[in-house]
Amino acid sequence: MSTAFARYRPSGESLLWGAVVLNAELFALLLYFATSNYTSGELRYLLYPFIWINVAVLAVWKTNPIAGNDRDKLVGLAVAAGYFLLVGYFGGLFGPAHSMPGMADSSLRIAWLPPGWGPALLFHNSLVRVSILPFKLVGYLALAYLVYATILDAAGSAISGILGLFSCVSCSWPIVASLVTGVAGAGSGLAATVSSGSYDISTVVFVVTVALLYWRPTIR
């Protein structure tokens, strides 16, 4: 039993790095509060991006995919790339352009949102729109990496990865709409995007999805 759960037991090095990361994130939040006029929204919405990033990085760090042959590696990469494009599209990282009155034909800017939400890279032209929020980018890349590892472990057992879709569908449109239409002010913009509370559910689903893909209970 102890051997079966050995990979879940944190090492001294993991605990040390964990403490360093958590302190750095706390410092980033304190610095943000000290240099901004953020007065709206609940504290948990400022913590959700760190949950996404920390869970994602930890799972990737602890996962070591081993390809049995070149064919398995190519299949895994293809499935993982397709999966990332899928969740990236439904999660609002990129997609077709939305023509709206008053919008410039082409725009590229950095939105200085709270840590984890930003700095967000926003771009749009007549064909495409791109809204890169750090926690979503890291989270979806981690999901794709774990799907890749799952494919290498056993062909056809990456079904649990489809759960990742539910971690973005419910929460993608508010943040994308508010940023692309040029909401001014990080505080007011963030309050508008989380008013529905959809990030509560999506964060839970994201963590569960990462846990399933890391554990991969269907493999053995």
Side-chain angles (χ1 to χ4, degrees), residues 13 92 95 118 130 154-155 166 171:
E13 182 183 8
V130 178
F166 295 101
C171 66

Side-chain angles (χ1 to χ4, degrees), residues 12 15 27 57 87 116 209:
L15 293 174
F27 176 78
V57 171
V87 294
T209 304

Side-chain angles (χ1 to χ4, degrees), residues 22-36 38 43-50 114-117:
L22 290 176
N23 278 284
E25 292 169 348
L26 177 60
F27 176 78
L29 275 179
L30 293 176
L31 182 63
Y32 174 76
F33 283 129
T35 57
S36 72
Y38 179 83
L43 180 60
R44 70 179 189 276
Y45 293 119
L46 296 180
L47 300 180
Y48 283 160
F50 295 128
W117 293 88

Side-chain angles (χ1 to χ4, degrees), residues 10 28 44 54 65 72 97 106 108 120 139 141 155 158 169 173 178 182 186 206:
R44 70 179 189 276
N54 293 348
D72 289 347
S106 180
L108 174 65
L141 284 173
V169 172
W173 70 266
S178 64
F206 174 78

Side-chain angles (χ1 to χ4, degrees), residues 81-131:
Y83 182 81
F84 174 76
L85 293 175
L86 197 61
V87 294
Y89 176 81
F90 283 103
L93 293 184
F94 48 81
H98 297 315
S99 297
M100 301 185 68
M103 286 185 64
D105 293 337
S106 180
S107 173
L108 174 65
R109 70 185 182 93
I110 301 295
W112 297 102
L113 298 175
W117 293 88
L121 175 65
L122 307 177
F123 170 80
H124 76 86
N125 60 21
S126 59
L127 297 176
V128 299
R129 57 168 175 77
V130 178
S131 305

